[in-house]
Amino acid sequence: MMNRTVMAGALAVALLSACSKPQPVAEVPRPVVVQKLALSPVVAGALYSGEVRARYESDLAFRIGGKIVERQVDVGAVVKPGQLLARLDPSDAGLAAEAARAQLAAAENERAFAKAEMTRYQDLVARGFVSRSVLEAKETSFKSAAARVEQARAQATVAGNQAGYTRLVADQPGVITAVAAEVGQVVKESAMVMKLAREGEREVLIAVPERRIAALRKAGQVEVRMLNEPETALQGRVREIAPSADAATRTYAVRVSIVDAAPSVQLGMTANVILPDAASAAGALLVPSTAVFEHQGASAVWVMVAEGELVKPVLRPVTVRQYREDGVVIAAGVQPGETIAVAGAHRIVAGQLLRPVPRAAAAGVRAGG
């Protein structure tokens, strides 16, 4: 009887323990990547990305068709005037030149014979052995033979030039930026084989929408910043605006000359052309594009309010001035000195405590990892 009472009591204690709630586990604050807002040194204007090109570019091609048997340069090669770039099979052109020279020799022999005949008949006419009309026929034959010599000489010159056209040489100093043919390929005359970018002035080729063309025409001077050196501003000048829009993109090709291009500005590099905006000449708040999201049909960011060592997110509507490749320019809604979340905005809940991680530190961790 005693054992039953003890067992009943133990069972009751076990049931009560099973029905009691477990102790809550403290939630570890989730990290959030943040950035402190500051006026960007980059002028907040219309920004267009483009490629650094040479002002003068030439498509190099053979003046005759044939099979390529040699190519001596690759893309990126620096060439000098007169340097051999490629060569066609010279067999056919050489045979044509020999045939033309043989025709010239035959024409010269015919002329020599016609001249001798004319001289002999002149003597016969002087002695009265033949009539004057026969001499005139011989003189006509000599003139025709002389004309055939000139014709054959011109054809031989053309054939000789054609033989020289089997060699493709550089006519200007520069850099080979493209190669469109390989050894063994048969090319037509005037078909591009290589592209040569001449030494000298550098410019940026950009595509601009129609609504910005008028502003570009009035601007004259613009700002150029290389992608690898965004802190360095170069002076640019709008040199050329295409007269018509591209059929596919409906944008206008614009060439911007770099006035003070440094040796570090190389062909093919990416550059940003900035059309200054007078309303934001004092600077602008440039934030990463990942910091801005849509909330109830409007743009917003998460502003971080300090809670000791942690932060608490507060939703803040903002006005966007411009979306750019390097970020988003904020016109109103936040102020310099405030801290915002720049990653994972859609996973943040208002009021939750988060552990701030500076953007620079987060980037260092990713690079090291």
Side-chain angles (χ1 to χ4, degrees), residues 52-66:
V52 176
R53 306 279 287 273
R55 176 170 181 176
Y56 301 103
E57 295 180 331
S58 303
D59 290 341
L60 304 182
F62 289 103
R63 298 174 69 171
I64 60 173

Side-chain angles (χ1 to χ4, degrees), residues 116-202:
E117 282 285 289
M118 182 184 67
T119 301
R120 186 165 61 88
Y121 272 84
Q122 285 175 347
D123 183 61
L124 292 176
V125 169
R127 295 181 182 185
F129 293 150
V130 295
S131 63
R132 184 71 184 177
S133 61
V134 176
L135 175 60
E136 290 176 351
K138 295 300 180 181
E139 290 176 342
T140 300
S141 298
F142 171 71
K143 292 179 181 179
S144 298
R148 285 193 293 272
V149 168
E150 295 302 321
Q151 179 185 13
R153 180 176 290 113
Q155 291 176 344
T157 301
V158 171
N161 291 340
Q162 295 282 333
Y165 294 157
T166 59
R167 293 166 49 88
L168 181 63
V169 298
D171 58 346
Q172 297 287 338
V175 179
I176 300 299
T177 59
V179 174
E182 299 293 340
V183 174
Q185 182 175 341
V186 177
V187 295
K188 296 181 180 179
E189 60 178 272
S190 73
M192 189 197 82
V193 176
M194 301 178 187
K195 184 181 289 290
L196 174 67
R198 300 185 188 179
E199 293 182 353
E201 187 175 348
R202 296 288 182 258

Side-chain angles (χ1 to χ4, degrees), residues 248-286:
T249 63
R250 305 309 303 165
T251 57
Y252 289 77
V254 177
R255 289 182 174 266
V256 177
S257 297
I258 304 177
V259 178
D260 50 352
S264 59
V265 178
Q266 299 294 320
L267 297 174
M269 286 186 170
T270 301
N272 292 325
V273 176
I274 302 171
L275 180 61
D277 184 356
S280 58
L285 292 175
L286 182 64

Side-chain angles (χ1 to χ4, degrees), residues 299-346:
S299 299
V301 298
W302 288 109
V303 176
M304 297 298 158
V305 178
E307 294 282 345
E309 295 182 356
L310 303 178
V311 293
K312 181 181 295 184
V314 176
L315 187 67
R316 182 81 61 81
V318 295
T319 301
V320 175
R321 177 187 297 275
Q322 182 186 26
Y323 289 95
R324 309 190 339 178
E325 293 188 0
D326 56 346
V328 180
V329 179
I330 303 297
V334 288
Q335 299 296 327
E338 291 186 310
T339 301
I340 64 171
V342 296
H346 296 284

